[in-house]
Amino acid sequence: MKTWREMRRFPLAVQLLLVNQLGVNTGFYLLIPYLATHLTGNLGMSAAVVGIVLGVRNLSQQGLFIIGGSASDRLGARGVIIAGCALRTVGFALFALGDNLSVLLAASALSGLAGALFNPAVRTYIAQEATEGRAEAFALFNVFATTGALVGPLLGSTLLFVDFRTSALTAAGIFAVLAVAQALVLPVRDVEPSKGTVLADWREVLGNRAFLAFALAMAGMFTLENQLYLLLPDGARQATGWNGAAGLIFVVGTLANLALQLRITRALKERGDRARWIATGLGLMALAFLPPAVVAAGSGGPDGAVDAALRALPVLVGALLLYLGVMVAQPFVMELIPGFGRSELTGTYFGIFYVVSGIAAALGNTVVGWAMDTGERGDADWLPWACCAVFGLASALGVAWLHRLGSLPTPSKPAVPATA
């Protein structure tokens, strides 16, 4: 109830975009986690082809965030958000209707492009509309996103009892409803005509060395967040011997988010610089991978239900610490990004931030995957957990260093761009 009361403090447009994020994550996670199984089990595709289909979606989203950000600045965030949701409606519908490779590749490309459009555009709109309570708005954004990431897989697993096509059409229907709601509710905002070219905008943002350094430092946050879908579920399954144990991680995270996110953001907002709390959050995320490493270092599986529950505790403690770290850091990260440059380029800054940190995080995930394989072969199951702890610590130190140099903006003092 407190979350809903807090949400009502913001303009109707921001309220819609918060609910929109719940719908976006619900629709996404009710389909995408089960797509690979559909492609291999139902359509008989090889693992290599499945990798291509999934890779096209990821590449078209990560690589084109900059397009969505620039479009938000030049055309207005509202139209870009609506277009993104409409495109994802089409893309997810194609997953339901298509069974040949060309249609599936088109569905992946459209779904990825949709995310590249509305992800930076939504954050741009919130940053522009919630100027007085930007940190709280992004805290709420995190609450709704986390809740959707829990509801989506639960709904998807239920719909799969019917068939995959029903799941895909349901996901498409969610995005269609969101597109219509945004068209009806989001107000049209006048966009100042840009005096330069898109390439000039990109050069200006990419020439901001402090911003690029910050985006690279955030690679640790994105890499560790991704372990909620890779390393932590794998650790939960190995610790307990139960495949369903992975779901407990998301239950813990969602409940913690609903109960604590707003309280944490409000308490920290008035106590110290934002960069200090971002570094602290990254440090907590690094610490999160130490308790599960203790279980990973043990030999053999659980000996009965009691032993399985005891072995699950360190993994769940790690998941809770990881979620707490995200809750501490992420709202302030989103709040700081617009302060690196001109307000007219807020969308471009968000877009390039996600491209740079996304590429760096992809490299980080590759290292974690290598560490998982190497640890399994070399009887060193602790290795990927230690690797993640190092990533988090490096990111925390990077942010602390940038703060010490005075390179990071504050809500009251935008950064002076350091150009190359």
Side-chain angles (χ1 to χ4, degrees):
M1 291 300 294
K2 188 173 183 179
T3 299
W4 290 106
R5 287 197 302 271
E6 180 67 23
M7 186 178 76
R8 291 173 61 185
R9 295 179 49 243
F10 292 99
L12 181 60
V14 174
Q15 295 180 37
L16 174 63
L17 292 178
L18 296 176
V19 176
N20 174 82
Q21 195 59 30
L22 173 66
V24 164
N25 275 18
T26 298
F28 180 85
Y29 286 107
L30 85 84
L31 175 68
I32 295 300
Y34 308 104
L35 180 58
T37 302
H38 167 66
L39 297 178
T40 55
N42 297 337
L43 302 185
M45 293 184 170
S46 67
V49 173
V50 172
I52 292 172
V53 173
L54 298 179
V56 165
R57 192 209 67 80
N58 191 61
L59 181 63
S60 60
Q61 177 162 319
Q62 293 291 342
L64 296 177
F65 272 129
I66 189 172
I67 303 297
S70 292
S72 300
D73 291 333
R74 290 176 170 267
L75 305 176
R78 175 184 182 273
V80 178
I81 294 169
I82 296 170
C85 284
L87 277 177
R88 186 155 281 182
T89 301
V90 175
F92 279 8
L94 285 177
F95 277 128
L97 304 175
D99 56 6
N100 63 69
L101 184 58
S102 59
V103 174
L104 292 170
L105 288 174
S108 288
L110 286 174
S111 300
L113 175 59
L117 290 176
F118 64 67
N119 274 319
V122 165
R123 288 158 177 80
T124 299
Y125 204 113
I126 291 175
Q128 292 171 341
E129 288 287 316
T131 53
E132 296 301 320
R134 191 176 286 168
E136 289 90 342
F138 281 116
L140 284 168
F141 187 85
N142 194 28
V143 171
F144 281 92
T146 303
T147 304
L150 173 66
V151 173
L154 294 177
L155 179 59
S157 62
T158 302
L159 291 172
L160 282 177
F161 284 110
V162 183
D163 58 18
F164 178 83
R165 179 169 296 180
T166 301
S167 296
L169 290 175
T170 300
I174 290 173
F175 280 97
V177 170
L178 293 176
V180 171
Q182 291 153 5
L184 293 175
V185 176
L186 290 183
V188 178
R189 299 283 187 238
D190 293 332
V191 179
E192 290 290 331
S194 179
K195 297 181 176 63
T197 64
V198 172
L199 288 177
D201 292 346
W202 293 356
R203 281 196 297 269
E204 180 178 336
V205 176
L206 291 171
N208 189 328
R209 290 179 296 181
F211 167 72
L212 289 182
F214 181 70
L216 286 171
M218 286 300 102
M221 184 177 79
F222 285 96
T223 299
L224 299 192
E225 272 191 289
N226 284 341
Q227 303 320 307
L228 288 168
Y229 310 102
L230 177 61
L231 186 56
L232 278 165
D234 184 66
R237 285 189 290 266
Q238 289 193 22
T240 64
W242 175 43
N243 287 335
L248 297 177
I249 292 170
F250 301 104
V251 172
V252 166
T254 302
L255 293 176
N257 218 282
L258 287 168
L260 300 174
Q261 176 68 86
L262 276 172
R263 290 183 173 90
I264 289 173
T265 302
R266 279 179 168 171
L268 300 183
K269 183 179 177 181
E270 307 302 328
R271 295 175 173 84
D273 293 323
R274 306 297 199 260
R276 170 188 170 190
W277 297 121
I278 294 172
T280 300
L282 290 167
L284 274 175
M285 294 175 74
L287 184 63
F289 291 87
L290 298 183
V294 176
V295 179
S299 59
D303 183 18
V306 174
D307 187 43
L310 292 175
R311 289 166 62 88
L313 280 177
V315 180
L316 294 179
V317 168
L320 179 59
L321 286 173
L322 183 59
Y323 275 106
L324 286 173
V326 173
M327 283 188 267
V328 169
Q330 196 171 70
F332 298 130
V333 171
M334 296 295 104
E335 185 188 29
L336 285 192
I337 290 172
F340 277 100
R342 296 186 287 127
S343 61
E344 296 86 351
L345 294 181
T346 296
T348 304
Y349 271 97
F350 272 114
I352 291 181
F353 173 80
Y354 277 101
V355 170
V356 172
S357 55
I359 292 172
L363 296 175
N365 285 328
T366 302
V367 174
V368 173
W370 168 85
M372 291 175 71
D373 292 337
T374 303
E376 186 175 353
R377 289 194 302 266
D379 195 24
D381 292 334
W382 53 266
L383 183 60
W385 304 97
C387 187
C388 287
V390 171
F391 274 130
L393 181 60
S395 283
L397 292 174
V399 172
W401 178 67
L402 288 172
H403 177 52
R404 184 171 182 177
L405 292 177
S407 301
L408 301 181
T410 66
S412 59
K413 179 182 74 66
V416 177
T419 54

